Amino acid sequence: MSRTFDERTEKTLATLLPAVVPTFRQFLAAAVDEMRPHGLTVIAISGHRSYAEQTALYAKGRTAPGPKVTNAKAGQSNHNFALAIDIGLFRGKAYLTESPFYAKIGPIGERAGLDWGGRWKSVDTPHYEYPTGLTMAQKRDRVAKGIPLVHVPVPVVTIPKVWTVELDDETIIQDCRDTPSVRAVVEALGGTIEVRNADKVIIIHPKKS
């Protein structure tokens, strides 16, 4: 069973591509457990952003009031492709905009298989994103064409061969799974059965009259 987090984190995870959510859950579970002894709570505070939201964010500190918060224009952030989250550290209800613990959480995300913004030239320690091996241009192109950004392996399901029951050389049952019942019926009628496990075949030898 997957772990459930606080309401805000769950809402953030719900904005991501379903294929990447398990990886982020794995990361967050480990991060939450690591920070709990320090009296800190880890919350995913940002996930998918629309192009319009990204444009408004990029404008801050440039053409809109406030400090600069991103260097990515619309279509240049993994948030726009539902592949990234930003986390926040809280002590009680107090949001910590800066803390050395952001750097301590980074390697936890990397061990889960995520790319961490703390390794960037323009450091962004709260940021984590799912690696796809695609460039931003390739992601934009795939989205425009409706091609998935993340390949989800299809599990190989092996369908076992069913048992076949033959009366001497004549097939009488083609889908028999309850071999003990077959044996009981045949032996009650005085016959015998021959089981070929490799071929999943049961041969019935009727009682000789």
Side-chain angles (χ1 to χ4, degrees):
M1 181 183 296
S2 62
R3 185 161 166 181
T4 301
F5 302 101
D6 61 277
E7 184 178 2
R8 185 170 181 181
T9 294
E10 289 297 332
K11 287 182 177 179
T12 298
L13 291 174
T15 70
L16 303 180
L17 295 179
V20 308
V21 171
T23 300
F24 282 103
R25 284 191 178 279
Q26 178 187 345
F27 155 57
L28 289 168
V32 167
D33 290 343
E34 184 73 19
M35 292 297 105
R36 185 179 293 114
H38 302 285
L40 298 175
T41 303
V42 181
I43 296 178
I45 60 175
S46 178
H48 173 258
R49 293 190 206 121
S50 67
Y51 275 32
E53 291 170 329
Q54 190 68 34
T55 296
L57 206 61
Y58 182 79
K60 288 186 176 182
R62 295 181 173 87
T63 59
K68 290 183 180 180
V69 293
T70 182
N71 292 317
K73 296 181 180 180
Q76 296 179 347
S77 168
N78 275 303
H79 285 285
N80 303 149
F81 303 105
L83 293 169
I85 67 169
D86 292 331
I87 65 166
L89 285 175
F90 291 77
R91 190 177 296 278
K93 294 183 178 181
Y95 170 46
L96 308 182
T97 56
E98 294 186 9
S99 169
F101 285 104
Y102 280 106
K104 293 183 181 297
I105 294 175
I108 298 175
E110 292 177 319
R111 287 195 293 272
L114 299 171
D115 288 340
W116 175 42
R119 304 291 185 193
W120 296 352
K121 184 176 181 180
S122 297
V123 176
D124 188 359
T125 54
H127 180 91
Y128 297 84
E129 56 188 42
Y130 188 95
T132 62
L134 301 171
T135 65
M136 287 296 173
Q138 289 171 328
K139 290 171 190 173
R140 292 191 295 269
D141 182 62
R142 287 197 176 198
V143 169
K145 294 178 180 177
I147 302 173
L149 295 176
V150 179
H151 172 67
V152 182
V154 178
V156 177
V157 179
T158 302
I159 301 177
K161 180 180 177 182
V162 299
W163 285 83
T164 298
V165 178
E166 298 178 358
L167 178 58
D168 284 338
D169 292 325
E170 181 180 352
T171 301
I172 59 171
I173 305 177
Q174 293 184 332
D175 187 0
C176 176
R177 302 173 192 271
D178 191 3
T179 55
S181 296
V182 173
R183 181 184 295 275
V185 171
V186 172
E187 292 180 347
L189 295 175
T192 59
I193 68 171
E194 176 186 349
V195 179
R196 296 179 182 173
N197 287 296
D199 300 323
K200 290 190 180 297
V201 172
I202 301 171
I203 301 176
I204 298 175
H205 301 290
K207 179 181 179 181
K208 301 296 184 181
S209 57

mmCIF file of all heavy atoms in Angstrom, residues 27 30-35 38 40 42 87 89 99-111 116 118-119 125-126 128:
data_model
loop_
_atom_site.group_PDB
_atom_site.id
_atom_site.type_symbol
_atom_site.label_atom_id
_atom_site.label_comp_id
_atom_site.label_asym_id
_atom_site.label_seq_id
_atom_site.Cartn_x
_atom_site.Cartn_y
_atom_site.Cartn_z
ATOM 1 N N PHE A 27 10.582 8.986 -2.491
ATOM 2 C CA PHE A 27 11.462 10.050 -2.010
ATOM 3 C C PHE A 27 10.865 10.758 -0.796
ATOM 4 O O PHE A 27 11.533 10.948 0.228
ATOM 5 C CB PHE A 27 11.714 11.053 -3.134
ATOM 6 C CG PHE A 27 12.080 12.424 -2.661
ATOM 7 C CD1 PHE A 27 13.170 12.632 -1.824
ATOM 8 C CD2 PHE A 27 11.336 13.536 -3.054
ATOM 9 C CE1 PHE A 27 13.511 13.913 -1.372
ATOM 10 C CE2 PHE A 27 11.659 14.806 -2.618
ATOM 11 C CZ PHE A 27 12.743 14.999 -1.769
ATOM 12 N N ALA A 30 10.900 8.788 2.510
ATOM 13 C CA ALA A 30 12.225 8.754 3.142
ATOM 14 C C ALA A 30 12.586 10.117 3.725
ATOM 15 O O ALA A 30 13.170 10.210 4.815
ATOM 16 C CB ALA A 30 13.273 8.326 2.114
ATOM 17 N N ALA A 31 12.229 11.196 3.019
ATOM 18 C CA ALA A 31 12.547 12.542 3.496
ATOM 19 C C ALA A 31 11.769 12.876 4.766
ATOM 20 O O ALA A 31 12.315 13.450 5.717
ATOM 21 C CB ALA A 31 12.239 13.566 2.407
ATOM 22 N N VAL A 32 10.492 12.528 4.788
ATOM 23 C CA VAL A 32 9.657 12.773 5.975
ATOM 24 C C VAL A 32 10.231 12.052 7.187
ATOM 25 O O VAL A 32 10.348 12.620 8.285
ATOM 26 C CB VAL A 32 8.207 12.324 5.707
ATOM 27 C CG1 VAL A 32 7.416 12.268 7.009
ATOM 28 C CG2 VAL A 32 7.535 13.278 4.727
ATOM 29 N N ASP A 33 10.604 10.795 7.003
ATOM 30 C CA ASP A 33 11.156 10.008 8.121
ATOM 31 C C ASP A 33 12.492 10.588 8.595
ATOM 32 O O ASP A 33 12.794 10.566 9.794
ATOM 33 C CB ASP A 33 11.337 8.550 7.693
ATOM 34 C CG ASP A 33 10.012 7.831 7.493
ATOM 35 O OD1 ASP A 33 8.976 8.346 7.980
ATOM 36 O OD2 ASP A 33 10.001 6.773 6.842
ATOM 37 N N GLU A 34 13.291 11.091 7.652
ATOM 38 C CA GLU A 34 14.607 11.633 7.998
ATOM 39 C C GLU A 34 14.484 12.945 8.775
ATOM 40 O O GLU A 34 15.274 13.220 9.682
ATOM 41 C CB GLU A 34 15.408 11.878 6.709
ATOM 42 C CG GLU A 34 16.827 12.355 6.927
ATOM 43 C CD GLU A 34 17.756 11.266 7.451
ATOM 44 O OE1 GLU A 34 17.402 10.073 7.312
ATOM 45 O OE2 GLU A 34 18.824 11.607 7.993
ATOM 46 N N MET A 35 13.484 13.749 8.451
ATOM 47 C CA MET A 35 13.344 15.065 9.077
ATOM 48 C C MET A 35 12.525 15.044 10.378
ATOM 49 O O MET A 35 12.619 15.966 11.185
ATOM 50 C CB MET A 35 12.693 16.040 8.096
ATOM 51 C CG MET A 35 13.569 16.406 6.898
ATOM 52 S SD MET A 35 15.105 17.280 7.399
ATOM 53 C CE MET A 35 16.322 15.952 7.192
ATOM 54 N N HIS A 38 14.106 15.783 13.694
ATOM 55 C CA HIS A 38 14.575 17.165 13.826
ATOM 56 C C HIS A 38 13.412 18.139 14.047
ATOM 57 O O HIS A 38 13.610 19.355 14.052
ATOM 58 C CB HIS A 38 15.360 17.581 12.578
ATOM 59 C CG HIS A 38 16.543 16.710 12.297
ATOM 60 N ND1 HIS A 38 17.712 16.777 13.034
ATOM 61 C CD2 HIS A 38 16.729 15.722 11.369
ATOM 62 C CE1 HIS A 38 18.576 15.891 12.557
ATOM 63 N NE2 HIS A 38 18.011 15.244 11.558
ATOM 64 N N LEU A 40 10.945 18.647 11.993
ATOM 65 C CA LEU A 40 10.597 19.297 10.728
ATOM 66 C C LEU A 40 9.624 18.443 9.929
ATOM 67 O O LEU A 40 9.675 17.208 9.961
ATOM 68 C CB LEU A 40 11.849 19.547 9.890
ATOM 69 C CG LEU A 40 12.900 20.477 10.515
ATOM 70 C CD1 LEU A 40 14.136 20.527 9.632
ATOM 71 C CD2 LEU A 40 12.317 21.873 10.711
ATOM 72 N N VAL A 42 8.139 17.766 6.016
ATOM 73 C CA VAL A 42 8.427 17.947 4.591
ATOM 74 C C VAL A 42 7.102 17.919 3.825
ATOM 75 O O VAL A 42 6.341 16.958 3.930
ATOM 76 C CB VAL A 42 9.349 16.831 4.055
ATOM 77 C CG1 VAL A 42 9.661 17.058 2.581
ATOM 78 C CG2 VAL A 42 10.633 16.767 4.864
ATOM 79 N N ILE A 87 9.721 21.206 -2.684
ATOM 80 C CA ILE A 87 9.324 20.871 -1.324
ATOM 81 C C ILE A 87 9.495 22.085 -0.421
ATOM 82 O O ILE A 87 10.235 23.015 -0.736
ATOM 83 C CB ILE A 87 10.148 19.693 -0.754
ATOM 84 C CG1 ILE A 87 11.627 20.074 -0.615
ATOM 85 C CG2 ILE A 87 9.966 18.439 -1.611
ATOM 86 C CD1 ILE A 87 12.437 19.121 0.233
ATOM 87 N N LEU A 89 10.086 22.999 3.853
ATOM 88 C CA LEU A 89 10.314 22.512 5.210
ATOM 89 C C LEU A 89 9.528 23.387 6.181
ATOM 90 O O LEU A 89 9.547 24.616 6.078
ATOM 91 C CB LEU A 89 11.802 22.554 5.552
ATOM 92 C CG LEU A 89 12.677 21.470 4.925
ATOM 93 C CD1 LEU A 89 14.144 21.727 5.260
ATOM 94 C CD2 LEU A 89 12.257 20.094 5.403
ATOM 95 N N SER A 99 17.115 26.718 5.032
ATOM 96 C CA SER A 99 17.521 25.810 6.106
ATOM 97 C C SER A 99 18.605 24.889 5.570
ATOM 98 O O SER A 99 18.531 24.445 4.411
ATOM 99 C CB SER A 99 16.332 24.965 6.593
ATOM 100 O OG SER A 99 16.781 23.925 7.449
ATOM 101 N N PRO A 100 19.613 24.566 6.383
ATOM 102 C CA PRO A 100 20.643 23.619 5.936
ATOM 103 C C PRO A 100 20.075 22.225 5.681
ATOM 104 O O PRO A 100 20.710 21.418 5.000
ATOM 105 C CB PRO A 100 21.640 23.619 7.106
ATOM 106 C CG PRO A 100 20.867 24.113 8.283
ATOM 107 C CD PRO A 100 19.890 25.084 7.743
ATOM 108 N N PHE A 101 18.876 21.979 6.201
ATOM 109 C CA PHE A 101 18.290 20.655 6.010
ATOM 110 C C PHE A 101 17.816 20.433 4.578
ATOM 111 O O PHE A 101 17.649 19.295 4.153
ATOM 112 C CB PHE A 101 17.133 20.436 6.994
ATOM 113 C CG PHE A 101 17.596 20.162 8.400
ATOM 114 C CD1 PHE A 101 17.514 21.146 9.371
ATOM 115 C CD2 PHE A 101 18.142 18.935 8.746
ATOM 116 C CE1 PHE A 101 17.943 20.910 10.671
ATOM 117 C CE2 PHE A 101 18.578 18.681 10.035
ATOM 118 C CZ PHE A 101 18.485 19.667 10.998
ATOM 119 N N TYR A 102 17.608 21.506 3.820
ATOM 120 C CA TYR A 102 17.270 21.324 2.405
ATOM 121 C C TYR A 102 18.394 20.566 1.689
ATOM 122 O O TYR A 102 18.151 19.700 0.849
ATOM 123 C CB TYR A 102 17.031 22.675 1.726
ATOM 124 C CG TYR A 102 15.675 23.273 1.985
ATOM 125 C CD1 TYR A 102 15.527 24.362 2.852
ATOM 126 C CD2 TYR A 102 14.533 22.769 1.366
ATOM 127 C CE1 TYR A 102 14.274 24.930 3.087
ATOM 128 C CE2 TYR A 102 13.288 23.328 1.595
ATOM 129 C CZ TYR A 102 13.162 24.398 2.466
ATOM 130 O OH TYR A 102 11.922 24.959 2.688
ATOM 131 N N ALA A 103 19.622 20.924 2.035
ATOM 132 C CA ALA A 103 20.775 20.268 1.419
ATOM 133 C C ALA A 103 20.920 18.824 1.886
ATOM 134 O O ALA A 103 21.414 17.969 1.152
ATOM 135 C CB ALA A 103 22.050 21.047 1.720
ATOM 136 N N LYS A 104 20.492 18.555 3.122
ATOM 137 C CA LYS A 104 20.590 17.191 3.645
ATOM 138 C C LYS A 104 19.562 16.267 2.989
ATOM 139 O O LYS A 104 19.764 15.062 2.891
ATOM 140 C CB LYS A 104 20.397 17.206 5.170
ATOM 141 C CG LYS A 104 21.524 17.905 5.923
ATOM 142 C CD LYS A 104 21.322 17.823 7.415
ATOM 143 C CE LYS A 104 22.450 18.541 8.171
ATOM 144 N NZ LYS A 104 23.771 17.905 7.918
ATOM 145 N N ILE A 105 18.441 16.848 2.541
ATOM 146 C CA ILE A 105 17.403 16.041 1.904
ATOM 147 C C ILE A 105 17.777 15.693 0.469
ATOM 148 O O ILE A 105 17.379 14.639 -0.052
ATOM 149 C CB ILE A 105 16.057 16.793 1.939
ATOM 150 C CG1 ILE A 105 15.576 16.944 3.380
ATOM 151 C CG2 ILE A 105 14.989 16.057 1.119
ATOM 152 C CD1 ILE A 105 14.326 17.779 3.537
ATOM 153 N N GLY A 106 18.578 16.549 -0.175
ATOM 154 C CA GLY A 106 18.921 16.353 -1.583
ATOM 155 C C GLY A 106 19.360 14.955 -1.958
ATOM 156 O O GLY A 106 18.802 14.341 -2.880
ATOM 157 N N PRO A 107 20.362 14.386 -1.263
ATOM 158 C CA PRO A 107 20.818 13.045 -1.616
ATOM 159 C C PRO A 107 19.732 11.974 -1.462
ATOM 160 O O PRO A 107 19.793 10.938 -2.132
ATOM 161 C CB PRO A 107 21.971 12.800 -0.623
ATOM 162 C CG PRO A 107 22.475 14.180 -0.305
ATOM 163 C CD PRO A 107 21.243 15.037 -0.268
ATOM 164 N N ILE A 108 18.752 12.227 -0.604
ATOM 165 C CA ILE A 108 17.645 11.274 -0.458
ATOM 166 C C ILE A 108 16.863 11.205 -1.767
ATOM 167 O O ILE A 108 16.491 10.126 -2.240
ATOM 168 C CB ILE A 108 16.717 11.688 0.705
ATOM 169 C CG1 ILE A 108 17.487 11.684 2.021
ATOM 170 C CG2 ILE A 108 15.509 10.754 0.789
ATOM 171 C CD1 ILE A 108 16.678 12.199 3.208
ATOM 172 N N GLY A 109 16.617 12.381 -2.356
ATOM 173 C CA GLY A 109 15.928 12.412 -3.644
ATOM 174 C C GLY A 109 16.740 11.746 -4.737
ATOM 175 O O GLY A 109 16.188 11.033 -5.587
ATOM 176 N N GLU A 110 18.032 11.955 -4.718
ATOM 177 C CA GLU A 110 18.899 11.336 -5.729
ATOM 178 C C GLU A 110 18.905 9.821 -5.594
ATOM 179 O O GLU A 110 18.915 9.098 -6.600
ATOM 180 C CB GLU A 110 20.311 11.906 -5.610
ATOM 181 C CG GLU A 110 20.391 13.383 -6.004
ATOM 182 C CD GLU A 110 21.770 13.973 -5.810
ATOM 183 O OE1 GLU A 110 22.420 13.662 -4.783
ATOM 184 O OE2 GLU A 110 22.207 14.747 -6.676
ATOM 185 N N ARG A 111 18.905 9.327 -4.376
ATOM 186 C CA ARG A 111 18.865 7.871 -4.177
ATOM 187 C C ARG A 111 17.554 7.277 -4.682
ATOM 188 O O ARG A 111 17.507 6.107 -5.079
ATOM 189 C CB ARG A 111 19.083 7.529 -2.701
ATOM 190 C CG ARG A 111 20.517 7.730 -2.216
ATOM 191 C CD ARG A 111 20.760 7.044 -0.887
ATOM 192 N NE ARG A 111 20.015 7.654 0.199
ATOM 193 C CZ ARG A 111 20.468 8.679 0.930
ATOM 194 N NH1 ARG A 111 21.662 9.206 0.662
ATOM 195 N NH2 ARG A 111 19.744 9.164 1.915
ATOM 196 N N TRP A 116 18.201 16.519 -8.609
ATOM 197 C CA TRP A 116 18.049 17.506 -7.543
ATOM 198 C C TRP A 116 18.608 18.854 -7.966
ATOM 199 O O TRP A 116 19.738 18.945 -8.468
ATOM 200 C CB TRP A 116 18.760 17.003 -6.289
ATOM 201 C CG TRP A 116 18.787 17.958 -5.136
ATOM 202 C CD1 TRP A 116 17.769 18.747 -4.686
ATOM 203 C CD2 TRP A 116 19.903 18.221 -4.285
ATOM 204 N NE1 TRP A 116 18.172 19.488 -3.597
ATOM 205 C CE2 TRP A 116 19.489 19.186 -3.330
ATOM 206 C CE3 TRP A 116 21.211 17.742 -4.222
ATOM 207 C CZ2 TRP A 116 20.328 19.673 -2.342
ATOM 208 C CZ3 TRP A 116 22.049 18.223 -3.235
ATOM 209 C CH2 TRP A 116 21.611 19.178 -2.304
ATOM 210 N N GLY A 118 19.778 21.101 -6.251
ATOM 211 C CA GLY A 118 20.932 21.509 -5.467
ATOM 212 C C GLY A 118 22.248 21.281 -6.175
ATOM 213 O O GLY A 118 23.289 21.794 -5.748
ATOM 214 N N ARG A 119 22.221 20.528 -7.282
ATOM 215 C CA ARG A 119 23.438 20.276 -8.058
ATOM 216 C C ARG A 119 23.593 21.266 -9.210
ATOM 217 O O ARG A 119 24.585 21.225 -9.926
ATOM 218 C CB ARG A 119 23.403 18.859 -8.639
ATOM 219 C CG ARG A 119 23.223 17.752 -7.623
ATOM 220 C CD ARG A 119 24.418 17.584 -6.742
ATOM 221 N NE ARG A 119 24.264 16.432 -5.834
ATOM 222 C CZ ARG A 119 25.037 16.186 -4.797
ATOM 223 N NH1 ARG A 119 26.050 16.996 -4.521
ATOM 224 N NH2 ARG A 119 24.832 15.133 -4.036
ATOM 225 N N THR A 125 17.696 24.225 -4.111
ATOM 226 C CA THR A 125 17.658 23.048 -3.234
ATOM 227 C C THR A 125 16.276 22.458 -2.982
ATOM 228 O O THR A 125 16.177 21.257 -2.703
ATOM 229 C CB THR A 125 18.326 23.363 -1.875
ATOM 230 O OG1 THR A 125 17.710 24.523 -1.297
ATOM 231 C CG2 THR A 125 19.819 23.581 -2.041
ATOM 232 N N PRO A 126 15.173 23.216 -3.062
ATOM 233 C CA PRO A 126 13.868 22.574 -2.838
ATOM 234 C C PRO A 126 13.337 21.813 -4.048
ATOM 235 O O PRO A 126 12.294 21.161 -3.948
ATOM 236 C CB PRO A 126 12.934 23.764 -2.518
ATOM 237 C CG PRO A 126 13.830 24.915 -2.224
ATOM 238 C CD PRO A 126 15.041 24.675 -3.066
ATOM 239 N N TYR A 128 13.018 19.098 -7.192
ATOM 240 C CA TYR A 128 13.318 17.721 -7.607
ATOM 241 C C TYR A 128 12.528 17.424 -8.873
ATOM 242 O O TYR A 128 11.362 17.810 -9.001
ATOM 243 C CB TYR A 128 12.920 16.725 -6.504
ATOM 244 C CG TYR A 128 13.703 16.922 -5.236
ATOM 245 C CD1 TYR A 128 13.299 17.885 -4.311
ATOM 246 C CD2 TYR A 128 14.854 16.190 -4.969
ATOM 247 C CE1 TYR A 128 14.025 18.104 -3.148
ATOM 248 C CE2 TYR A 128 15.579 16.402 -3.810
ATOM 249 C CZ TYR A 128 15.154 17.360 -2.907
ATOM 250 O OH TYR A 128 15.880 17.580 -1.767
#
